Amino acid sequence: MQKIKSLMTRQGLRSPQESVNDLSPIESFRIPTKEELREAHEEPPDPQAQQEIINSIEEVYFSNDSFDIVKYELERLPPVLSLQELEEYRDKLKQQQAAVSKKVADLILEKQPAYVEELERVTSLQSGLQLAAVICTNGRRHLNIAKEGFTQTSLGLLANQRKRQLLIGLLKSLRTIKTLQRTDVRLSEMLEEEDYPGAIQLCLECQKAASTFKHYSCISELNSKLQDTLEQIEEQLDVALSKICKNFDINHYTKVQQAYRLLGKTQTAMDQLHMHFTQAIHNTVFQVVLGYVELCAGNTDTKFQKLQYKDLCTHITSDSYIPCLADLCKALWEVMLSYYRTMQWHENHDQDEAAVVSSVSDGNNVIGTEENSFDRNYVKKKLEHGLSRIWQDVQLKVKTYLLGTDLSNFKYDDFIFVLDVISRLMQVGEEFCGSKSEVLQESIRKQSVNYFKTYHRTRLEELRMFLENETWELCPVKSSFSILQLHEFKFMEQSRSPSVSPSKQPASAVSSAVTLFEQYCNGGNPFEIQADSKDDETEDVLASNGYESDEQEKSAYQEYDSDSDVPEELKRDYVDEQTGDAPIKSVSRETLRSRKRSDYNLNKVNAPILTNTTLNVIRLVGKYMQMMNILKPIAFDVIHFMSQLFDYYLYAVYTFFGRNDMFESTGLGLSSSRLRTTLNRIQESLIDLEVSADPSGTLTAAEERKEKVPSPHLSHLVVLTSGNSLYGLAERVVATESLVFLAEQFEFLQPHLDAVMPAAKKPFLQQFYSQTVSTASELRKPVYWIVAAKAIDYEQMLLLMANVKWDVKEIMSQHNVYVDALLKEFEEFNRRLNDVSKRVRIPLPVSNILWEHCIRLANRTLVEGYANVKKCSNEGRALMQLDFQQFLMKLEKLTDIRPIPDKEFVETYIKAYYLTENDMECWIKEHREYSTKQLTNLVNICLGTYINKKARQKLLATIDDIDRPKR
């Protein structure tokens, strides 16, 4: 194709396209002539040959139009030209040219019908254009006619009317814009009136109106101003929301919630509310504590305001600690009450809204209802989750305050007040969110244990001082005395039944009636300090002179001197009465008579025997239980310290009146193994035996000694060596029986202690009662044994027995003098016992033990005296029996004890004088209660004249074998 173009160029011809552009629209579409078609048909008709010739044309001829064919052919000429080759090459090129021309002609003939059709379309288009030109000419002519037909005045009227309509619309817009410009004044008024929903509604309407006139340039500025106003409203709304945290107002909160709902920020409002509550707790406690710190400091120094809350709490003085704690709890109560009322508002609002939704079931509001339901669920969950968060913040703030001051030196009543406030606060927490207040419990437990150790240490020292100054005089109390009458035990009055825990009763009573939030929802505060009413009460427990009435006192002394013979039945009836715990309100003559010999309870009604020290210990126990009742986590520590009070009292009574090494070695089992174990335990764990030792010991030893108390010393005013007073029997009775009374009170308190004792520590309580409290009555034996051992001159009796001849040859009908002397000793003992009973009531168990000890010692003295006999005949043995029977007969008139203690001990020994050699050996092995000396005397004196030396040696060897394990 390029070759054809180049040939045409050289021949001065133009391309068909260029020729067409020069022609008119009709001339450019000329049909080939017949000659041209004929020339084309004169070419070889073979299409395949024609195609091969076309294919033989080099590719370079089909390149772009810039290709120079002549230059290309000339450059291909060989250096040496050959005419024949040139002609042949020329013919080849002609053939190729002819083939291309033939191909072009064929293509033109093939497209001729389409050409003709297109030419007709062009002709039709030309006709349409000519018609359009005619229409335009006519339109211009008609327009000129219309212009000439209307006047300028008519067109002016129409223009003015249109302008008037535009100006009216503009005036309305300007009035609206003017109103929008003045909206900020109304918004400010509404915000001052706290009409937040109205202000937001107005602002949103203004924004909507402003968007309608946004094409005015002044409106863009107004729009930004309205947006700023809306943001300002949100800020004031946030401030209004924060006020809810300290003083909840239903109307105020309703407006705030409506405002946030209009803004579509209900969830944001709830998030902000919780943030404000957290901030309110922090600011409230800080301001309360700061106020007291600055008040106590006495100046307006601002350095305290820069301190952290934790550091600020350390500046609270002891005097301001309790008022500050009360105000702190009051302020925190107001915050929690506001939160509680906030939740109540949402619950009521949700119920009302759900009722409205259920009554109006419109399909168009489904989407809005779902959104509201989602918001309500979110708010509900957020509020429920916030309960524990807010209570946790409250606990941490109060914990910081509690641990910021050392309470170990507080007065007991002050510390009890602190415990009471914290206990009430924990009750608030349980009602608020069901929390067990572990943080508060742990912090108050630390303070309580710390305080209680110091307090208990001081009380133990006071108890030692009381015991060392105690003269063991009877403290006159009424026969109806009960520890529940003491102020310290008033808290137990609502829980007298042992099956109900005293610590749980008040809380359950409150919870079953009404909660604190319901009780103080509309006013008041559970942490208001109320005057303690117990100061106005009086304890009616003391008797004026130890008697219930003057008549009973006179009756007691009148009846004492008469009626020496009393039937045994009346005595037994009286004994049965004394086994009960019910106090005796009146005393009959028969009862007084029955007491003459056995009870020595003549001048006192059956009132408890206790001292001032005992009463102080009981009061201490009440205080300890009061603290334990308020704070149950330290129950074990409190009960442990209570046990130490009892331990120390028991140890003091034993040390003052029961310790005597000489009598401990008698082997009579005066102190049971349980009592000895208890006393050893108390001495090791509680008694400091190294008070005067070198203080330069180890730190651990010093700490251990710090927990111990020095052993008490008996007051020098107490005389235990006078025989006229039966060696301090009155003091011994008061001391021992006061200990027994104290043990009875501990027994009474056991169900209450068991109810608050942790399950893991209950074995300690059980062990304390089984091994310590129950041993109090066992202390009577060693204490009264000392009196019995000194009250009768047993040594004198041995001397009198030694002077008696037992190797008489005839049976005597008269007893020996030593029996009368011994009976006179017992009569004197009985008289002195009566004298003592005028000072102190001697209970039946005490008198029985005294008589039992004396009789047992007398009987053992008789056996010892018989064992000292050097010679004895059968008549002498009969005299021994006569003496002993006379002694028993007279003794039974002095005492009601039956059977006579150790009666068989004497009779068996006397009867052993009649045994043969074989019976004696068996008897010795069976009766190991006798001493070696006593058994040896039997062998030497009784059988010495009847058996040979070998048999005697055998019996003595048997005695020695029995005695060997005792050494």
Side-chain angles (χ1 to χ4, degrees):
M1 182 60 67
Q2 296 296 330
K3 184 178 179 182
I4 294 173
K5 288 184 178 182
S6 63
L7 289 175
M8 293 172 65
T9 303
R10 283 199 301 270
Q11 294 174 4
L13 298 175
R14 289 177 294 178
S15 64
Q17 181 65 36
E18 292 172 345
S19 300
V20 171
N21 292 335
D22 292 340
L23 297 176
S24 65
I26 299 176
E27 293 175 341
S28 60
F29 296 98
R30 182 177 60 85
I31 302 172
T33 61
K34 294 181 179 179
E35 291 179 356
E36 290 174 347
L37 294 173
R38 185 176 63 251
E39 289 176 359
H41 285 292
E42 287 177 356
E43 296 298 327
D46 187 2
Q48 184 175 2
Q50 290 292 327
Q51 187 62 38
E52 290 178 357
I53 293 173
I54 292 174
N55 292 338
S56 65
I57 299 174
E58 295 183 14
E59 292 291 333
V60 71
Y61 284 97
F62 299 100
S63 61
N64 52 24
D65 294 341
S66 62
F67 176 65
D68 191 352
I69 301 172
V70 176
K71 182 178 177 181
Y72 174 71
E73 290 297 340
L74 289 175
E75 288 177 353
R76 289 187 59 187
L77 292 176
V80 181
L81 299 175
S82 173
L83 182 60
Q84 185 179 355
E85 292 178 356
L86 288 175
E87 289 178 349
E88 291 177 357
Y89 186 66
R90 183 192 61 184
D91 294 338
K92 181 179 177 182
L93 291 176
K94 285 184 177 182
Q95 289 178 357
Q96 293 176 346
Q97 183 182 11
V100 171
S101 299
K102 179 67 170 60
K103 186 67 175 179
V104 170
D106 290 341
L107 292 173
I108 291 173
L109 290 175
E110 184 180 349
K111 300 295 183 179
Q112 187 176 6
Y115 168 75
V116 173
E117 183 180 354
E118 186 66 26
L119 186 60
E120 290 176 352
R121 289 178 60 194
V122 170
T123 303
S124 173
L125 179 62
Q126 185 178 7
S127 300
L129 289 174
Q130 290 174 353
L131 178 61
V134 172
I135 292 172
C136 288
T137 303
N138 292 335
R140 287 176 181 174
R141 188 174 67 253
H142 286 97
L143 285 173
N144 289 329
I145 294 172
K147 183 177 181 181
E148 293 174 359
F150 291 96
T151 63
Q152 293 292 333
T153 305
S154 299
L155 293 174
L157 288 173
L158 292 174
N160 288 336
Q161 178 64 22
R162 179 173 176 272
K163 187 182 294 184
R164 180 174 176 274
Q165 294 294 333
L166 292 173
L167 289 174
I168 290 174
L170 179 61
L171 182 61
K172 290 182 179 178
S173 299
L174 289 176
R175 286 174 178 171
T176 304
I177 292 172
K178 183 179 180 181
T179 304
L180 293 175
Q181 293 286 358
R182 295 179 178 177
T183 303
D184 56 344
V185 178
R186 178 56 186 155
L187 285 174
S188 299
E189 294 175 354
M190 296 177 80
L191 289 177
E192 289 179 0
E193 297 169 359
E194 295 185 349
D195 184 10
Y196 303 109
I200 292 175
Q201 185 70 35
L202 179 60
C203 192
L204 293 176
E205 289 176 357
C206 290
Q207 280 189 328
K208 185 177 180 181
S211 65
T212 306
F213 302 104
K214 61 183 179 181
H215 49 281
Y216 297 107
S217 59
C218 62
I219 289 298
S220 60
E221 182 180 349
L222 178 62
N223 236 338
S224 61
K225 185 177 179 181
L226 286 173
Q227 187 62 34
D228 294 341
T229 303
L230 189 61
E231 292 176 358
Q232 182 183 355
I233 292 175
E234 287 190 30
E235 290 177 0
Q236 293 195 21
L237 196 59
D238 190 56
V239 174
L241 186 65
S242 66
K243 295 178 181 178
I244 299 295
C245 301
K246 293 184 179 179
N247 187 15
F248 183 85
D249 182 77
I250 294 179
N251 297 328
H252 182 75
Y253 188 67
T254 303
K255 290 180 181 179
V256 171
Q257 283 296 321
Q258 289 176 351
Y260 273 110
R261 181 168 294 185
L262 287 174
L263 290 174
K265 295 184 176 181
T266 306
Q267 298 182 15
T268 304
M270 195 49 55
D271 296 337
Q272 288 293 108
L273 182 64
H274 280 81
M275 185 186 70
H276 287 314
F277 268 106
T278 303
Q279 191 66 27
I281 291 172
H282 174 75
N283 293 340
T284 299
V285 298
F286 188 84
Q287 291 301 324
V288 170
V289 176
L290 178 64
Y292 276 92
V293 170
E294 291 180 343
L295 180 65
C296 296
N299 54 41
T300 57
D301 194 351
T302 59
K303 66 176 183 178
F304 295 117
Q305 298 179 358
K306 300 177 182 179
L307 294 177
Q308 294 291 329
Y309 173 71
K310 183 177 180 180
D311 299 327
L312 196 64
C313 290
T314 59
H315 289 79
I316 290 289
T317 61
S318 299
D319 295 335
S320 62
Y321 185 86
I322 289 180
C324 182
L325 176 63
D327 288 346
L328 196 66
C329 292
K330 286 181 194 175
L332 291 173
W333 162 260
E334 295 296 338
V335 175
M336 288 188 286
L337 180 62
S338 296
Y339 194 89
Y340 172 80
R341 297 185 67 186
T342 302
M343 290 192 67
Q344 271 193 330
W345 185 94
H346 280 280
E347 289 176 3
N348 298 333
H349 181 73
D350 291 348
Q351 291 175 0
D352 296 341
E353 198 171 66
V356 172
V357 170
S358 61
S359 62
V360 181
S361 56
D362 188 359
N364 297 328
N365 295 329
V366 172
I367 297 177
T369 303
E370 290 179 353
E371 291 178 357
N372 290 337
S373 177
F374 178 78
D375 287 342
R376 286 199 302 270
N377 292 334
Y378 178 84
V379 170
K380 183 179 179 181
K381 291 181 180 178
K382 191 76 176 178
L383 286 171
E384 290 174 352
H385 178 69
L387 284 171
S388 56
R389 260 187 57 192
I390 287 177
W391 177 241
Q392 186 70 11
D393 290 342
V394 170
Q395 284 192 92
L396 292 174
K397 297 299 181 185
V398 177
K399 173 190 175 183
T400 303
Y401 181 81
L402 283 175
L403 300 180
T405 303
D406 184 10
L407 308 182
S408 59
N409 295 320
F410 270 39
K411 295 180 180 178
Y412 174 80
D413 291 336
D414 292 341
F415 190 77
I416 285 295
F417 182 82
V418 173
L419 291 185
D420 192 34
V421 170
I422 300 303
S423 178
R424 177 61 62 93
L425 185 62
M426 288 192 287
Q427 182 185 349
V428 170
E430 186 169 2
E431 294 178 4
F432 187 66
C433 61
S435 171
K436 296 301 180 183
S437 307
E438 290 83 1
V439 174
L440 274 181
Q441 285 194 17
E442 179 60 24
S443 58
I444 198 64
R445 191 193 69 80
K446 288 180 180 178
Q447 283 285 36
S448 299
V449 171
N450 183 37
Y451 171 82
F452 209 67
K453 284 182 178 179
T454 305
Y455 180 80
H456 177 65
R457 175 69 188 179
T458 306
R459 299 292 81 77
L460 278 179
E461 289 292 343
E462 287 182 359
L463 179 57
R464 181 170 72 93
M465 181 186 69
F466 282 136
L467 289 170
E468 290 182 344
N469 290 279
E470 179 63 67
T471 58
W472 302 102
E473 294 290 336
L474 187 66
C475 178
V477 294
K478 292 187 175 182
S479 60
S480 60
F481 170 75
S482 168
I483 62 172
L484 296 178
Q485 296 169 352
L486 300 176
H487 292 315
E488 290 77 7
F489 291 91
K490 290 295 183 184
F491 71 95
M492 292 177 58
E493 287 185 348
Q494 295 180 348
S495 56
R496 293 288 296 274
S497 173
S499 61
V500 181
S501 169
S503 58
K504 297 179 181 178
Q505 178 70 20
S508 62
V510 172
S511 62
S512 62
V514 62
T515 64
L516 292 174
F517 286 97
E518 294 171 349
Q519 183 179 354
Y520 297 98
C521 186
N522 297 322
N525 197 300
F527 297 98
E528 290 288 347
I529 300 179
Q530 299 178 353
D532 198 348
S533 61
K534 80 174 184 179
D535 295 334
D536 300 332
E537 300 175 359
T538 56
E539 291 180 340
D540 188 18
V541 297
L542 296 179
S544 58
N545 56 0
Y547 301 95
E548 293 291 327
S549 64
D550 293 337
E551 287 77 9
Q552 288 181 356
E553 180 179 5
K554 293 177 182 178
S555 174
Y557 282 106
Q558 289 171 358
E559 293 296 332
Y560 170 66
D561 294 327
S562 61
D563 297 334
S564 57
D565 297 327
V566 181
E568 190 68 21
E569 292 79 11
L570 286 179
K571 300 176 186 175
R572 284 197 290 268
D573 289 342
Y574 174 74
V575 173
D576 290 340
E577 286 179 7
Q578 293 308 300
T579 58
D581 294 332
I584 298 174
K585 297 295 182 181
S586 62
V587 183
S588 65
R589 291 188 177 187
E590 289 78 6
T591 304
L592 283 170
R593 291 193 201 106
S594 65
R595 294 177 188 176
K596 178 179 179 183
R597 295 173 183 168
S598 56
D599 193 9
Y600 301 92
N601 190 22
L602 302 177
N603 64 333
K604 308 290 179 188
V605 181
N606 191 21
I609 297 177
L610 66 158
T611 65
N612 288 325
T613 304
T614 317
L615 207 56
N616 284 330
V617 172
I618 293 174
R619 291 184 187 276
L620 270 181
V621 169
K623 290 181 178 181
Y624 283 22
M625 289 190 64
Q626 194 175 352
M627 186 180 298
M628 179 176 60
N629 183 59
I630 296 174
L631 192 64
K632 297 175 183 62
I634 65 166
F636 171 71
D637 301 282
V638 175
I639 293 175
H640 175 65
F641 292 146
M642 284 172 57
S643 70
Q644 288 187 346
L645 294 176
F646 186 85
D647 288 347
Y648 196 70
Y649 196 92
L650 184 147
Y651 186 83
V653 172
Y654 170 76
T655 304
F656 293 166
F657 304 104
R659 177 179 286 174
N660 194 310
D661 297 335
M662 180 180 69
F663 299 111
E664 286 288 332
S665 61
T666 57
L668 295 176
L670 298 177
S671 300
S672 65
S673 60
R674 184 172 61 168
L675 178 59
R676 288 194 298 271
T677 302
T678 299
L679 292 170
N680 290 334
R681 176 188 61 79
I682 296 173
Q683 182 170 303
E684 292 175 1
S685 61
L686 189 60
I687 306 303
D688 184 8
L689 301 176
E690 303 176 2
V691 178
S692 60
D694 186 8
S696 60
T698 61
L699 182 62
T700 306
E703 289 294 328
E704 290 179 355
R705 286 187 57 192
K706 189 177 180 181
E707 302 295 328
K708 296 183 178 182
V709 189
S711 180
H713 301 286
L714 183 64
S715 171
H716 66 278
L717 299 176
V718 180
V719 180
L720 302 179
T721 57
S722 173
N724 293 329
S725 64
L726 273 181
Y727 306 96
L729 178 61
E731 290 80 2
R732 294 176 190 272
V733 169
V734 172
T736 309
E737 299 312 305
S738 66
L739 174 65
V740 173
F741 177 78
L742 185 61
E744 291 172 355
Q745 307 316 304
F746 269 85
E747 292 284 357
F748 170 74
L749 297 173
Q750 184 177 6
H752 305 278
L753 299 180
D754 190 68
V756 296
M757 190 69 158
K761 301 294 184 179
K762 285 190 177 182
F764 167 81
L765 186 64
Q766 295 169 357
Q767 185 179 14
F768 168 66
Y769 273 93
S770 63
Q771 297 186 8
T772 305
V773 176
S774 61
T775 60
S777 59
E778 296 179 9
L779 203 61
R780 286 169 169 165
K781 284 189 175 183
V783 170
Y784 299 132
W785 176 268
I786 298 175
V787 175
K790 294 180 179 181
I792 294 176
D793 191 352
Y794 303 102
E795 295 295 330
Q796 180 64 27
M797 189 173 66
L798 286 176
L799 292 176
L800 291 175
M801 292 179 70
N803 295 328
V804 176
K805 291 184 177 182
W806 299 103
D807 55 349
V808 293
K809 302 301 181 181
E810 57 184 23
I811 296 177
M812 306 295 291
S813 60
Q814 180 64 32
H815 59 275
N816 285 300
V817 178
Y818 74 88
V819 176
D820 296 329
L822 181 58
L823 288 171
K824 284 183 180 180
E825 290 280 345
F826 273 102
E827 289 173 357
E828 179 63 19
F829 170 72
N830 190 31
R831 184 190 64 77
R832 286 186 288 177
L833 205 57
N834 287 329
D835 292 340
V836 172
S837 68
K838 294 177 182 179
R839 288 180 54 200
V840 178
R841 176 176 66 86
I842 301 179
L844 178 62
V846 176
S847 63
N848 286 345
I849 288 177
L850 283 168
W851 277 101
E852 179 183 345
H853 283 339
C854 289
I855 294 170
R856 179 172 280 114
L857 284 170
N859 285 336
R860 291 181 177 270
T861 303
L862 288 174
V863 172
E864 187 66 20
Y866 296 152
N868 291 333
V869 174
K870 304 299 183 181
K871 294 179 180 180
C872 182
S873 63
N874 290 332
E875 290 77 8
R877 298 184 195 112
L879 182 58
M880 290 180 183
Q881 288 182 327
L882 177 64
D883 292 344
F884 186 61
Q885 291 303 320
Q886 178 67 18
F887 170 69
L888 292 178
M889 182 179 65
K890 296 293 185 180
L891 183 64
E892 287 176 353
K893 293 180 180 181
L894 294 174
T895 180
D896 297 329
I897 295 180
R898 301 293 185 275
I900 298 297
D902 280 355
K903 175 182 176 183
E904 294 80 6
F905 184 79
V906 181
E907 290 178 343
T908 304
Y909 189 81
I910 295 174
K911 291 176 181 178
Y913 281 88
Y914 299 99
L915 296 177
T916 62
E917 176 186 348
N918 295 331
D919 293 335
M920 179 62 74
E921 184 176 358
C922 296
W923 187 90
I924 290 172
K925 292 180 179 179
E926 291 175 358
H927 294 80
R928 301 191 178 191
E929 66 271 17
Y930 298 100
S931 66
T932 304
K933 174 186 174 183
Q934 293 166 353
L935 295 175
T936 303
N937 180 269
L938 281 177
V939 174
N940 291 332
I941 302 302
C942 300
L943 301 178
T945 57
Y946 303 108
I947 60 176
N948 55 33
K949 185 177 180 180
K950 182 178 180 182
R952 185 186 300 113
Q953 292 297 329
K954 179 181 178 184
L955 290 174
L956 293 177
T958 302
I959 295 172
D960 188 63
D961 292 338
I962 294 173
D963 183 61
R964 189 175 293 113
K966 298 180 183 179
R967 298 172 188 169

